Amino acid sequence: MCTDNPGVWEYIANWARKHSIWVLAYGTGCGAIEMPPTMTSRYDAERFGLRGAATPRQADLLIISGYLATKTLKRVIRTYEQMYDPKYVLALGSCTINGGMYWDSYNTIKKLDLYIPVDVYVAGCMPRPEAIIEGIIALQKRIEEGRAEGAKKYRENIEWYKKNQREVFGDEMLPDYTWNFEGGI
Amino acid sequence: MSTGMRIVDIIAYPFIAFLIGMLYMGIARNIIGRIHRRWGPPVLQNLIDVFKLYRKREAGSHGVMFHLGPIIMVTGVVTCLYFIPMLSDGRWLKGFSFDGDLILVTYLMVLGALGMALGVGQGGVPFGVMGVTRGLTRLIGLEIPYFIAIIVLMAHYNTASINKIIELQAGGLSNWAMFKVPLAFIASLFSFWGMMGASPFDIPGAPQEVASGPATEFGGKYLALMMSSRGIFGFLKLTLWVDLFMGGAANLLILVGKTFVLFVTVLFVTSVYSRFKVEQAVDFMWRYPTIIGLIALVIEMVR
Amino acid sequence: MSKVVKIFHGPQHPGITGNMSVELDLIGETIVKARTHVGYLHRAFEKLVERRTAMQAFTIVCRICVPEPDPNEENFARAIEEITGLEVPERAKWIRVLVLELSRLAAYHLWMGGQAGSTGLYTVPQWSVGYRDYILDLFEELTGGRVYHMYIIPGGVRRDLPDGFLDRVSDVMDLIESKLPEFDRLFFDNAVFKKRAIGTAVIDPETAIERGVVGPPLRACGIASDVRRDDPYEIYDKLDFDVITEKGGDVYARALVRRREMEQSIKIIRQIIKYIPDGPYRTKIPYPMNWKLKAGETYVKTESARGEFGYYMVTDGSEYIRRMNVRGPAYVHGVSLLEDMLEGAQLADVAMIMNSLGTCPPEIER
Amino acid sequence: MGWGIDLKGIVSPFTALKYLGKHPHTVRYPYEKKKTAKRYRGFHINDLEKCVGCGNCAKICMNETIDMVKVEGIEPKTGDSGLRPKVDYGRCCWCALCVDVCPTGSLKLSTDYVYVDEDPNSFLYIPGLERKEYEKNVGWTCETDLDSLLDLERVEMKIMPPDERVKTFAEAVYGYTVEEAKREAERCTGCGVCISACPDRMHIPDYIKAIRDGQFDESVRIIYDNNPLPEMCGKVCTRRCEFNCIMTHRAGKENAIAIRWLKRFACEQFESYEEVLNLQPQPLNGKKVAIVGGGPSGLTVAYYLRLKGYETVVFEEMPKAGGMTMAGIPKYRFPIPSLDKQLNHIKSVGVEIRENTKVVKGEPKSNNEVSFEKLKEEFDAVFLGIGLTQPMKLGVEGEDLEGSIQALPLLKAVNFGEKINVGQKAVVIGGGNVAMDCVRVLRRFGVDVTLSYRRREVDMPADNEEIHEAKEEGVVFRTQTIPVEIIGDENGKVKAIKIQRAEMVPDPKGGRPRPVPIEGAYEVWECDNVIAAIGQKADYSFLPDDIVEKLDLQWGKIPVNERGMTKVEGIFAGGDAVNWTADAISAIADGLKAVKGIDEYLSGK
Amino acid sequence: MSYLEELKVKIENMFSPEKCYFPKENLLSFLVSNSEVRGALSYLKDVEGFKHFVMLSCVDWLEEGKFELVYIVWHPEKKVNAMVKTKIDREKAEFQSLHDMWRQICTYEREIWEMFGVNFIGHPRLEPFILEDWKDMPPMRRDFDTLHYVNEHYEWREGREESYKPRDYIGEAFDEWRKK
């Protein structure tokens, strides 16, 4: 039923996807401290249809909130691969762009877009709730224009992503079944 | 009622329940939002969510049973819905009421949960399995006061047909079953909150403990099925309780009015209480609501 | 045949504050064996501090513990001052204590949200995180940053109080004080929460001291040990507040200790507003780019919202710190103590116990 | 579980429902915006004109967020490196240390904090050049001195108190102790902006860093790369570098890093430089270079050419080499032993200095005279470091009376120890360093001195510290006064001087304001001596006439190309006779330029 | 004589520490040989009453080729800290595990084993604690250069190639005739 025919049906689907983004409850970095104020009463991201999702299966948006230790990167990649197709990644803070404050630490990754496709970057050393909401609005615009095809990008150049991941993990790579499960109908 | 109109009536039945159910969940998120001192999402948010979930491109499936689980859940709920008359008089939305349908409805309500259990079993996620076991144990706790309440009702009106009960309650506020057998109503109210997933009893899907319980592994369109079935199931119980205790509804407006009042009580309870553990919930249910139910039963027998 | 199920209360889990994972072996719902796995937030602070001069390291230090960065800044600044003998003016000490107490209040509000959220009461986090935001507005006005203030600097504080700031502080204190009774009625007296909390995860006083428990969990077992009284730093000896203790030692006692300590913090802040002296707010450090620290060692500690936060620092005369070892309260609470307390507990209580012990994963692996 | 019903626990939570009717306290962000704090740390803004590209911000940043980059349209100039900071928001942690360490206060943070983009490479920008919209609302700034991280007070230099130093010629400035010097050296952020101001381009940050680390010998080695007379510069330099030090932007000229005194401190740590420098001059390569004039430029050429292997001979007219630093600068500023130490070092390298030998045109009359023509053939190259020896005349009536003398001969006499006959009261005319020396020397002889200068005090070319110390020593300053006539008594001695007050008239073309005498505003001051210190000219009498035209002098200065060669092939020139700044360090700079020129010229021939 | 000074005298004649001094007013620090650590700690714990174990830290004195283990304990009643320090060889880094005295020491030892490579004999559970699949040398040792490791394993974002140091840039821009 969910064929990919571009056209009105897809446009309506994008409209629905834009207005109901479920955020995965996963505080990967120190930016996670600005997620509660954004989701609770003072800034209330639920006005935009944002709702917390407990598991990757239910989530649409994975928020990488700051730096990523290599141990966390492995779990993030596995979580990202378990999420279902129209999935987006919002990268908060300078640590995801060029290493941030921990640029010289042996345990954090420097450029997030080497490992998973990222839709929107938000500047800030821990962006404020307003900046996060601005990031979400930018993500919504990108979804509406149908450009938020992170999953397709991941599938198409999977070798490049896996090569970068292998550089970090060495031979402790994730099992293959995490990303090429039959994906359902 | 020509066959054409009956077909329309049959088809319209679940969709009305779905729409009103989803609308209630949207309004619920707004009311709870106000209690949280925030604005809350637009009212149609749940409909948008369900539509988005249907339009997900992927939905991982772990085999046939996993695929059938949500379908059984929805069919269970919809068949149960058919046996509950939404509007008591008038030609529309009467459903297939017959003599013993109160007992049939009670049985069918459990069918959805069982179907879900099979699907989750196939999925193999420990959280899912734990969620289901919690759900079933909680069900045991909730069923007792509900059964007692129904027995009291049947004894009071000595009939097992929902339609008759509605008719017997006709004529003004005073002879609503709610006031006729108040203790039974209170006992059934506890199990009603439990089944609606109000806070002290929303144990199966507790995110902090078992990562959304049974729904852990379900994504995409399966989750959409589950959400819509939860919407219909919510409305189903509301109409059931309205029919049994609040004199049914003549037309759609009264139905919506009465169900909404009942629904608001669920919201108040869910937003102010923490969550029981499973054994605490069952223990609580077997203590106070059961006692109230038994007292109602005794009163009934004495009368 | 009781089958043991192994689940990861893993890094991705709505019930975890921060990013750690607890490997649980379950029979049904009771936990047989628990292992904490940390390292998801390891940024090698102590290695990075060895590559940064004192002035550069002061900015990275406050990132160690996210819910409450200020005890780190204050610890680091005081350790440097004690080693090099740098004099801090009186007003700077008062401002530091003001910042510490405000951050304690913000941390307690966040804790309250987490504790109530872990037991299913979603109204409390909405309120408490919302009111915490008023405190963050005060921080934004005072220090220029919401959560990471980078404000307490070796030698004092970076800027003076903006004018009219203290009355805004007292307004926010009035707001918070007026809201506390509401939290009592909704959460602390909540029958369901009491039923869940009373009697779970009990720590008796002897094992508490033996196992190195600090802060609210220790005070909940009836032992009055508070760094602000035992080893007073800055101007805590000049302020009057009392150390809260509770009997019971269970989740509920720990909740009450934190709840009543919020009132003490408000009392302290009001005293500061009344008695803060005038004068300079900073003595300049000799030279930011290349300040050679005198060789020496020291162990300083402050009372953070989760307990005694200690810094062991050794300097060797160069401008780089030889070794800075951070000892957060969660190091003990989150690893050895948590593993023992989870054995025999219910899966449903894991999130609640972790939150009541105040486990904050970034400070375990730094 | 017990049967007790906790009624309060069941009922009290419902009080939370009272918020149903209340207005939520949500900030509905995109529609309602919360006002950010005045002091918020947002994105960087920079004023490209005020910024001097010192790189402090790049140096303090531990995340290496800031790169100093070239910006087209901004060229390196004196006091500005021409680089501007470029910020990378893939690294920044918004700690604002860069703002607190910025000497000019040009770098600030705005209260804007929203920048969202899908391309990760767009998080780099040059504040002040791009994204100007942040400049509307300024957030975190660093105004007061206590806010700034820089160490803005200079370490106090102990100077002999005025009443004591007036009585003696001993050195007035005591110099830094080791501890004081290190603390002063610690203040320097090593940005190198001072190099752009120093005519000799000395490697100032490097030798200050050496002092900071306690390696004084390394510091002297670095100094000797550019300057053979370091102690002299350490005591009497005009300190152009200090006036362009980045500290002056916040703390004014008197709190700049004490570069001159640090150089003096480094040199004074060693009795002689031989064992420190262990230079091995190249073996003689047979070429000979004659240096006319033993001033700073001549000595520099001699020293470095000798190191390069040329045989160098210095012909000094005065009984002692050192040029103006020996003859002109009084001993309380630059004591003789310190000059001897440096001259001995230069001699130790192999430079031959023939004192008391004047170079003349045509035939030498006595044995301490040498003919210029003979020099020209005998030596492969000639360097003219003749300096300005002819003092200028006032050009007023009565100038040739007895008692009206020029400043230079007076100072020369004092420096060489001859007796001078000066009366009770004297008037010195002029505003340069020579005037200051002359005035303070006379004070040391107990003379009651008045200084008259045409323009205002702020226009005086003299060093502001000299002016300040002269005032302390009791000199009366009468600025905006022009000498009209010197009145002599009956037997031809100076009795008084008539001066006319003037007022400054701003130049219509925007140049420096000119003093215009006020009609009829005359004053007469009794005095026994009138000393003119209004500048000197070069004396080319020793050169044959054909060479003098070929040099084609402009306003008495010898034009030279960038290699220091005059228009006459084989003749080089430098020092006060060539450049217009006329101070010791520029002379040394010309010397260095000439060294390279001569080396290329001779190795080319 | 405050309690700490008495304690200092007692310690000096019992354990003959190499260095025993007060870094600050309520902190006693003394350096003992390897074998006396357990004795000193149990003396402090059982006899003196320093029941609260604060932390175990390890300082890497690369120049001396020594690791310095620092045991910090706190006296709840007397409100004072004591530091027992000992130096162990850096290459063959081994020490006895004291986890039987305080249970939480084994977490500290586990971290020091992972971060410094000190092998604790008799430790119940020496397994990776913070790092996962770490193949390089223990990272907290001073001879491990983290920037070198980072430049080897990760790449930087482009766009930042042009970067001058003002000191050198001015040197070239103005120093026309003398290159140093």
Side-chain angles (χ1 to χ4, degrees), chain A residues 24-34 36-37 39-43 46 53-56 67-72 75 79 101-108 125-126 128-130, chain C residues 11-14 18-19 37-45 47-48 51-52 59-61 63-64 66-67 110 125-127 129-134 136-137 140 146-148 150 362:
Chain A
L24 182 63
Y26 190 7
T28 59
C30 58
I33 195 74
E34 286 287 29
M39 309 289 273
T40 54
S41 61
R42 194 76 198 286
Y43 292 97
E46 201 167 358
T55 64
Y67 63 88
L68 270 184
T70 42
K71 207 171 180 179
T72 320
R75 275 68 179 178
T79 314
M101 281 194 93
Y102 315 109
W103 60 284
D104 51 355
S105 156
Y106 52 85
N107 199 31
T108 59
C125 192
M126 247 207 337
R128 298 170 55 116
E130 288 99 329
Chain C
Q12 190 274 313
H13 193 284
N19 191 347
H37 292 281
V38 277
Y40 297 102
L41 296 168
H42 177 58
R43 297 150 282 184
F45 269 98
K47 189 75 183 173
L48 298 186
R51 293 191 64 252
R52 283 159 168 71
T59 54
I60 200 169
V61 148
R63 261 110 172 142
I64 286 179
V66 176
L110 197 67
Q126 299 281 354
W127 289 358
V129 175
Y131 298 138
R132 167 178 176 269
D133 219 77
Y134 291 104
L136 295 192
D137 291 349
E140 182 189 327
R146 264 170 63 91
V147 180
Y148 290 139
M150 290 174 270

Side-chain angles (χ1 to χ4, degrees), chain C residues 56 59 134 137 140 142-144 149-150 158-160 179 182 185 189 191 195 281-282 284 286-287, chain D residues 8-9 12 18-19 25 34 37 39 41 60 62 95-96 100 141 145-148 150-151 186 188:
Chain C
Q56 291 174 333
T59 54
Y134 291 104
D137 291 349
E140 182 189 327
L142 174 66
T143 65
H149 311 135
M150 290 174 270
R158 273 176 89 175
R159 290 297 189 270
D160 206 343
K179 295 298 176 197
E182 278 172 26
R185 288 194 295 275
D189 303 341
K195 192 162 290 196
Y281 52 89
R282 189 157 81 91
K284 283 209 162 180
Y287 168 55
Chain D
K8 180 163 159 321
S12 73
K18 70 178 192 306
Y19 280 106
H25 66 138
K34 198 167 65 175
R39 192 189 276 183
R41 291 198 288 257
I60 190 112
M62 60 282 171
C95 60
D100 286 359
T141 55
D145 288 357
L146 197 53
D147 287 351
S148 164
L150 296 174
D151 193 347
E186 254 186 10
C188 169

Side-chain angles (χ1 to χ4, degrees), chain C residues 125-323:
Chain C
Q126 299 281 354
W127 289 358
S128 70
V129 175
Y131 298 138
R132 167 178 176 269
D133 219 77
Y134 291 104
I135 301 177
L136 295 192
D137 291 349
L138 288 180
F139 277 132
E140 182 189 327
E141 196 185 336
L142 174 66
T143 65
R146 264 170 63 91
V147 180
Y148 290 139
H149 311 135
M150 290 174 270
Y151 180 65
I152 298 175
I153 202 168
V157 284
R158 273 176 89 175
R159 290 297 189 270
D160 206 343
L161 299 179
D163 37 27
F165 177 71
L166 288 178
D167 349 330
R168 282 188 288 280
V169 171
S170 62
D171 302 345
V172 170
M173 285 308 119
D174 303 343
L175 167 81
I176 286 178
E177 194 167 37
S178 66
K179 295 298 176 197
L180 284 183
E182 278 172 26
F183 283 114
D184 290 348
R185 288 194 295 275
L186 174 62
F187 175 56
F188 290 97
D189 303 341
N190 190 319
V192 179
F193 172 67
K194 275 180 158 161
K195 192 162 290 196
R196 280 283 300 271
I198 293 176
T200 41
V202 179
I203 315 174
D204 57 278
E206 291 73 30
T207 50
I209 292 194
E210 187 66 28
R211 304 297 295 281
V213 175
V214 282
L218 184 63
R219 291 197 283 276
C221 333
I223 299 160
S225 117
D226 183 333
V227 178
R228 296 177 292 181
R229 270 290 173 267
D230 304 346
D231 176 4
Y233 49 96
E234 302 299 352
I235 49 154
Y236 276 108
D237 37 19
K238 299 197 183 76
L239 298 168
D240 91 11
F241 63 95
D242 28 32
V243 180
I244 309 287
T245 55
E246 278 286 331
K247 293 283 166 290
D250 51 16
V251 171
Y252 192 66
R254 287 191 281 273
L256 282 188
V257 163
R258 289 190 173 106
R259 165 64 187 75
R260 285 166 54 202
E261 273 187 4
M262 280 196 237
E263 283 151 8
Q264 296 305 318
S265 288
I266 294 175
K267 197 165 113 185
I268 292 175
I269 290 173
R270 290 214 168 103
Q271 285 172 48
I272 292 174
I273 292 173
K274 215 183 308 162
Y275 301 116
I276 187 161
D278 290 338
Y281 52 89
R282 189 157 81 91
T283 48
K284 283 209 162 180
I285 63 163
Y287 168 55
M289 305 274 188
N290 208 323
W291 178 26
K292 300 242 180 313
L293 305 166
K294 201 148 57 74
E297 66 174 342
T298 180
Y299 175 73
V300 286
K301 52 183 186 240
T302 55
E303 181 68 28
S304 80
R306 288 174 314 293
E308 174 201 321
F309 211 108
Y311 267 52
Y312 173 65
M313 187 177 285
V314 181
T315 50
D316 54 6
S318 78
E319 67 261 22
Y320 295 103
I321 296 161
R322 164 67 56 159
R323 173 80 163 106

Side-chain angles (χ1 to χ4, degrees), chain C residues 287 289, chain D residues 184-191 205 208 212 247 257:
Chain C
Y287 168 55
M289 305 274 188
Chain D
E184 181 64 20
E186 254 186 10
R187 288 181 63 221
C188 169
T189 58
C191 66
I208 288 185
R212 177 166 63 227
M247 296 292 184
I257 307 277

Side-chain angles (χ1 to χ4, degrees), chain B residues 181-199:
Chain B
V181 274
L183 288 181
F185 174 68
I186 292 164
S188 72
L189 209 54
F190 281 104
S191 75
F192 169 71
W193 286 334
M195 285 185 220
M196 285 292 278
S199 191

